[in-house]
Amino acid sequence: MPFLARRDVRSLVRKLGAHARPSQQKEALFTIAGLSVFGGDSDTLVAIASAGAIPPLVQLLGPGSSAEVREDAAAALCNLAQHHDNQVAIAAAGAIPLLVQLLAPGISANVQQNAAAALCHLAEHAGNAITIAAAGAIPALVQLLGSGSGDLAKEFAALALKLLGHDIAENRATIAAAGASADVVVLEEMERLGIYDDGHGKEE
């Protein structure tokens, strides 16, 4: 496993716990996010999740955490969600409603961006796409497209909506009902940002 031995990953995961000092949590979040980005092979992503990282990361998304901690926790979960097995585990740990809450107006732009990115990866799984829509993500993602958010946040929102609407008629209807010609808004935003339909479907 790149960068750290498995026992070191387990040690980092312990530092994410509620009894850890803020400085320890910050160090662990930074390191785990870096591992999942720069060592983002399947073995690394699965090893981090297997060490128990997902539940404490989900807990750190909650209102008891600072904006900085929520931003980093959402980023770490986003990176872990690149692996399909982790997508299921992250959803099972209750991350989806918390990530949807982080799309709300008034939340910092970086937190919104990372939450949208995490939902984008999670929406690759068909079962998650239904759960994400049921949690109220579609109106929030459509609103994000029309807000003053940066291009990355809009890109993730557009891609998430594309995945949520793929082969799920109910979700497409919700997208259309979320605003005037919401489907058109999504497609126009994807075109503006240079995002093209690659024909890929979801994991079952």
Side-chain angles (χ1 to χ4, degrees):
M1 176 180 169
F3 295 95
L4 291 178
R6 292 178 188 272
R7 64 178 180 275
D8 295 323
V9 173
R10 288 194 293 270
S11 174
L12 285 171
V13 170
R14 286 195 293 273
K15 292 179 182 179
L16 296 174
H19 300 296
R21 295 191 301 273
S23 60
Q24 291 178 314
Q25 288 185 334
K26 183 176 181 180
E27 174 195 355
L29 281 169
F30 179 82
T31 305
I32 290 174
L35 279 173
S36 53
V37 173
F38 302 113
D41 58 283
S42 292
D43 288 345
T44 300
L45 297 173
V46 171
I48 294 171
S50 297
I54 290 173
L57 285 172
V58 170
Q59 188 171 18
L60 290 173
L61 295 175
S65 299
S66 68
E68 182 181 8
V69 167
R70 289 164 125 187
E71 177 185 341
D72 291 342
L77 288 167
C78 170
N79 296 330
L80 291 176
Q82 294 176 58
H83 193 282
H84 60 86
D85 288 347
N86 291 347
Q87 291 167 3
V88 175
I90 291 168
I96 287 173
L98 292 170
L99 289 167
V100 172
Q101 290 174 17
L102 296 182
L103 300 176
I107 301 293
S108 80
N110 287 341
V111 174
Q112 287 181 328
Q113 175 181 303
N114 289 349
L119 289 168
C120 184
H121 283 302
L122 292 172
E124 294 171 3
H125 187 281
N128 286 349
I130 295 170
T131 303
I132 290 168
I138 288 174
L141 289 166
V142 171
Q143 185 175 38
L144 200 59
L145 280 180
S147 71
S149 305
D151 279 355
L152 268 180
K154 291 182 177 181
E155 176 179 341
F156 290 129
L159 284 170
L161 287 164
K162 172 181 176 288
L163 289 165
L164 290 173
H166 181 75
D167 286 343
I168 303 177
E170 183 177 352
N171 284 1
R172 291 190 65 82
T174 304
I175 291 171
S181 304
D183 268 333
V184 175
V185 171
V186 173
L187 292 172
E188 287 179 347
E189 188 64 25
M190 290 175 65
E191 183 177 356
R192 186 184 74 79
L193 294 169
I195 306 167
Y196 301 102
D197 189 345
D198 58 8
H200 290 170
K202 298 186 183 68
E203 296 281 350
E204 296 296 339

